[in-house]
């Protein structure tokens, strides 16, 4: 069973009809006889939000992906879809038609139901003589059903300009039951013919963004189209269903609530954020419950995977208060201890607390965006502790409330991204000095940050100042989780470079956690 919270604001009749792919009186619908000047499925296909009886299947028609309206006419287009129990589509188990509406960038979201639990299915789309590639998605085991083993992947942070998506090609071959994408699917900066690293020095040029910095709906749609043209990203989507969440770059770097880095008035930023949210929905395989409404999106939700995994997908952007101490990597200031500060908002916190109390599965998993360990980031002889204020490290009171929820809960795991590096460590109460209550695995980026290194700068000093940190690494890649009833095995899968093609797959390290003991045992790959 996948539990989806209802949208925070009711959807209008027109919105519901559009989101569901139906229109009572759609004028001049272009049906199967429609011919395109170019292949309309260039952005691939995807599946998402798997449940025990189905999943969402997605595509977006784009014969000219980077042109205005992706080369599509401003009319609804009828798209046929089918789901089969075999790769050859000899045993078709569900089929129908949906409307690709210009209002939604000619995207299609079909919520497929009536399927059997815990088995693979194949799906594809057709318009006239044009047919998409086939994708594969697996339904979840029914909630409460005994499940002994599960494999899934964690990925995100895929800056197009920083590197190639070779890691996604490798991920597609891992046969995960699903993928959790923690965010930063796109990056919002303007295109540049040169590359500059985080150190301010010239970096290897790989490829450039098309267009300016993103502000309106057309900008965001074009950027998603450019990213989705990547064949390795398409392969990863076609290999498994994804649970997707956004972080900051889907809108703007380090935004929270209605606060942006540009210093815009909240009502002005709200317009940009609404455009970004619409484009995000249009390009992700998400359910109608996530349809943008009232200027926001219902992003946090829950999925029960048999009796093994209780997956809590969190939203750490929409309800967060402003970062303290000036944002970024900063010396700790009094704002870090602000008792009124929020990361998830009180409503989402209450929802999470109620779900954790149910103990509905053996492992309780928080799938979210920013690091929860309050790392002291000093790499030299700085006199006072430095933290990343855009992480939970900038919010002492909200972090302690979440750790209190997990205290006494065996098998508590936190999955994180955003850092562009790998980390494994314990989550301890009282600012990292108290009792250990959970394990945190931070997955590195797919490409953001460039090639990286096997050993990160200042690693020894960071390890010495943060005894709860077991391991860190600075390569690109993804996290592969192999879960049994008694053991969680996290393999940090990496590639040695992303600035050129055909990087081989490596395992930088493996961290294992026994159920009931949050201390990760680390071994080299």
């Amino acid at each position: 069973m996948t539990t989806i919270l209802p949208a925070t604001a009711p959807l209008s009749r027109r919105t519901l009809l559009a989101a569901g792919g139906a229109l009572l009186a759609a004028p001049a619908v272009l049906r199967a006889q429609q011919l395109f000047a170019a292949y309309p499925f260039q952005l691939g296909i995807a599946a998402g939000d798997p449940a025990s009886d189905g999943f969402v299947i997605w595509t977006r028609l784009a014969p000219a992906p980077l042109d205005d309206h992706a080369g599509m006419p401003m009319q609804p287009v009828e798209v046929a879809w089918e789901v089969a129990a075999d790769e050859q589509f000899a045993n078709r188990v569900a089929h129908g038609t949906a409307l690709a509406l210009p209002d939604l960038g000619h995207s299609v979201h079909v919520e497929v139901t009536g399927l059997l639990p815990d088995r693979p299915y194949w799906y594809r789309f057709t318009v006239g003589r044009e047919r998409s590639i086939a994708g594969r998605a697996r339904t979840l085991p029914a909630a409460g059903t005994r499940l002994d083993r599960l494999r899934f992947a964690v990925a995100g942070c895929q800056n197009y300009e920083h590197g190639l998506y070779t890691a996604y090609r490798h991920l597609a071959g891992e046969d995960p039951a699903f993928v959790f994408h923690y965010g930063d699917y796109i990056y919002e900066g303007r295109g540049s013919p040169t590359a500059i690293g985080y150190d301010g020095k010239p970096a290897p040029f790989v490829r450039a963004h098309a267009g300016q910095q993103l502000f309106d709906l057309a900008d965001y749609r074009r950027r998603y189209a450019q990213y989705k043209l990547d064949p390795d990203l398409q392969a990863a989507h076609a290999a498994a269903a994804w649970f997707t969440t956004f972080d900051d770059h889907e809108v703007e770097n380090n935004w929270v609530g209605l606060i942006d880095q540009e210093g815009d008035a909240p009502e002005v930023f709200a317009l940009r954020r609404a455009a970004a949210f619409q484009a995000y929905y249009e390009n992700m395989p998400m359910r109608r419950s996530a349809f943008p409404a009232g200027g926001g999106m219902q992003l946090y939700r829950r999925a029960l995977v048999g009796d093994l995994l209780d997956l809590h997908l969190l939203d750490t952007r929409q309800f967060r208060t402003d970062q303290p101490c000036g944002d970024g990597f900063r010396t700790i200031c009094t704002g870090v201890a602000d008792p009124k500060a929020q990361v998830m908002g009180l409503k989402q916190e209450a929802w999470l607390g109620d779900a954790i109390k149910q103990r509905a599965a053996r492992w309780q998993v928080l799938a979210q965006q920013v690091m929860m360990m309050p790392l002291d980031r000093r790499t030299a002889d700085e006199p006072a502790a430095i933290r990343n204020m855009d992480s939970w490290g900038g919010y002492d009171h909200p972090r302690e409330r979440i750790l209190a929820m997990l205290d006494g809960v065996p098998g508590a795991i936190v999955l994180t991204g955003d850092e562009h590096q790998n980390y494994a460590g314990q989550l301890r109460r009282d600012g990292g000095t108290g009792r250990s209550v959970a394990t945190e695995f931070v997955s590195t980026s797919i490409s953001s940050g460039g090639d990286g290194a096997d050993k990160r700068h200042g690693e020894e000093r960071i390890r010495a100042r943060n005894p709860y940190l077991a391991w860190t690494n600075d390569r690109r890649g993804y996290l592969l989780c192999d879960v049994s009833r008694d053991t969680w095995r996290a393999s940090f899968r990496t590639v040695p470079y992303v600035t050129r093609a055909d990087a081989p797959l490596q395992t930088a390290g493996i961290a294992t956690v026994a159920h009931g003991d949050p201390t990760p045992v680390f071994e080299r790959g």
Side-chain angles (χ1 to χ4, degrees):
M1 177 188 73
T2 298
T3 304
I4 305 293
L5 275 79
T8 54
L11 301 181
S12 68
R13 178 174 176 271
R14 175 180 174 82
T15 296
L16 281 171
L17 289 173
L23 203 63
L24 290 179
V29 175
L30 302 180
R31 293 187 172 85
Q33 72 273 17
Q34 171 68 28
L35 298 177
F36 296 94
Y39 185 58
F41 297 109
Q42 294 184 44
L43 304 185
I45 45 84
D49 275 3
S52 61
D53 67 342
F55 35 73
V56 180
I57 57 175
W58 169 95
T59 194
R60 179 181 162 205
L61 304 180
L66 302 185
D67 289 357
D68 290 343
H69 309 297
M72 288 294 296
M74 290 297 95
Q75 291 174 280
V77 177
E78 191 173 67
V79 180
W81 59 270
E82 55 187 326
V83 176
D86 65 301
E87 195 169 3
Q88 291 73 37
F89 287 82
N91 182 16
R92 194 169 67 167
V93 296
H95 65 95
T97 60
L99 289 182
L101 301 173
D103 315 61
L104 294 175
H106 287 101
S107 62
V108 172
H109 300 73
V110 179
E111 297 190 24
V112 182
T113 59
L115 305 182
L116 297 176
D118 197 19
R119 62 150 300 157
Y121 289 92
W122 287 259
Y123 62 96
R124 64 189 180 189
F125 299 89
T126 304
V127 177
R129 302 185 184 95
E130 310 283 3
R131 176 173 286 169
S132 74
I133 63 170
R136 181 180 183 269
R138 190 176 190 94
T139 51
L140 301 182
T145 302
R146 182 179 175 89
L147 183 64
D148 292 325
R149 296 193 177 279
L150 178 73
R151 164 175 282 194
F152 70 95
V154 180
C157 288
Q158 52 201 53
N159 192 316
Y160 186 86
E161 292 192 320
H162 284 190
L164 303 175
Y165 295 164
T166 313
Y168 270 136
R169 178 66 62 172
H170 291 301
L171 187 155
E174 300 275 20
D175 193 27
F178 57 83
V179 176
F180 164 54
H181 192 282
Y182 55 74
D184 291 347
Y185 194 97
I186 61 168
Y187 281 68
E188 79 284 8
R190 68 180 180 184
S192 174
T194 61
I196 301 175
Y198 292 142
D199 57 4
K201 298 177 181 178
F205 176 80
V206 183
R207 51 189 180 177
H209 283 142
Q212 62 180 21
Q213 186 177 357
L214 311 184
F215 284 98
D216 65 16
L217 181 57
D219 292 336
Y220 285 102
R221 282 175 171 171
R222 184 178 298 109
R223 187 60 52 84
Y224 278 103
Q226 184 177 25
Y227 276 54
K228 283 183 169 292
L229 284 169
D230 187 278
D232 294 333
L233 176 57
Q234 289 192 17
H237 271 300
W242 290 27
F243 288 103
T244 60
T245 60
F246 55 57
D247 192 20
D248 54 336
H249 289 287
E250 287 87 353
V251 182
E252 188 208 48
N253 182 51
N254 285 14
W255 72 275
V256 294
L258 288 175
I259 302 170
D260 70 351
Q261 288 195 138
E262 311 291 336
D264 292 323
E267 62 271 20
V268 174
F269 177 60
L271 297 176
R272 182 183 182 191
R273 197 184 81 160
F277 283 7
Q278 178 174 341
Y280 182 75
Y281 177 82
E282 288 175 356
N283 286 279
M284 294 296 113
M286 305 189 81
R287 295 181 181 271
R288 281 193 297 273
S289 55
F291 196 95
M297 289 185 70
Q298 182 59 50
L299 195 67
Y300 63 90
R301 57 208 192 274
R302 181 184 180 195
L304 288 170
V305 187
D307 69 343
L308 188 63
L309 212 70
D310 196 349
L311 187 67
H312 311 277
L313 297 128
L314 307 183
D315 176 353
T316 60
R317 287 289 166 189
Q318 288 191 80
F319 313 108
R320 200 196 308 189
T321 54
D322 198 11
Q323 295 95 337
C325 315
D327 202 355
F329 283 43
R330 303 285 184 177
T331 301
I332 290 180
C333 68
T334 57
V336 170
D338 182 359
K340 297 180 180 179
Q342 299 290 334
V343 174
M344 296 166 49
L346 295 179
K347 181 179 179 181
Q348 186 180 180
E349 278 191 21
W351 166 85
L352 177 62
D354 289 343
I356 290 174
K357 288 177 184 176
Q358 295 172 20
R359 306 286 182 90
R362 188 157 175 80
W363 296 89
Q364 295 291 319
V365 183
L366 276 57
Q368 51 102 55
Q369 295 76 33
V370 292
M371 184 185 280
M372 199 168 282
M373 287 183 283
L375 286 187
D376 183 346
R377 307 291 181 135
R378 286 178 289 177
T379 59
D381 297 322
E382 298 90 343
I386 296 172
R387 289 186 186 172
N388 179 2
M389 298 302 161
D390 190 50
S391 74
W392 288 86
Y395 300 81
D396 279 353
H397 281 269
R399 185 184 65 256
E400 291 301 322
R401 289 197 298 269
I402 300 304
L403 295 185
M405 294 179 190
L406 299 177
D407 199 346
V409 177
I413 301 288
V414 176
L415 300 175
T416 302
D418 184 62
E419 294 287 336
H420 306 170
Q421 292 164 333
N422 286 310
Y423 292 89
Q426 300 173 56
L427 287 168
R428 296 179 180 173
R429 300 191 65 176
D430 303 321
T433 64
R435 184 168 54 256
S436 179
V437 300
T439 308
E440 183 170 26
F441 296 123
V442 182
S443 177
T444 188
S445 62
I446 288 291
S447 61
S448 300
D451 290 336
D454 290 327
K455 192 172 183 178
R456 60 166 298 180
H457 172 69
E459 179 178 329
E460 292 84 359
R461 297 199 180 207
I462 289 179
R463 291 279 299 277
R465 290 187 169 110
N466 301 280
Y468 46 82
L469 178 63
W471 178 77
T472 182
N473 165 271
D474 190 25
R475 289 293 187 192
R476 311 287 78 83
Y478 55 91
L479 184 69
L480 191 66
C481 298
D482 287 289
V483 186
S484 69
R485 302 193 71 80
D486 298 322
T487 304
W488 188 295
R489 181 181 173 90
S491 299
F492 294 90
R493 305 284 265 168
T494 61
V495 291
Y497 47 83
V498 294
T499 53
R500 61 188 192 276
D502 301 324
L505 183 64
Q506 303 170 341
T507 301
I510 299 171
T512 303
V513 176
H515 189 271
D517 182 357
T519 305
V521 177
F522 183 78
E523 61 185 89
R524 292 287 175 184

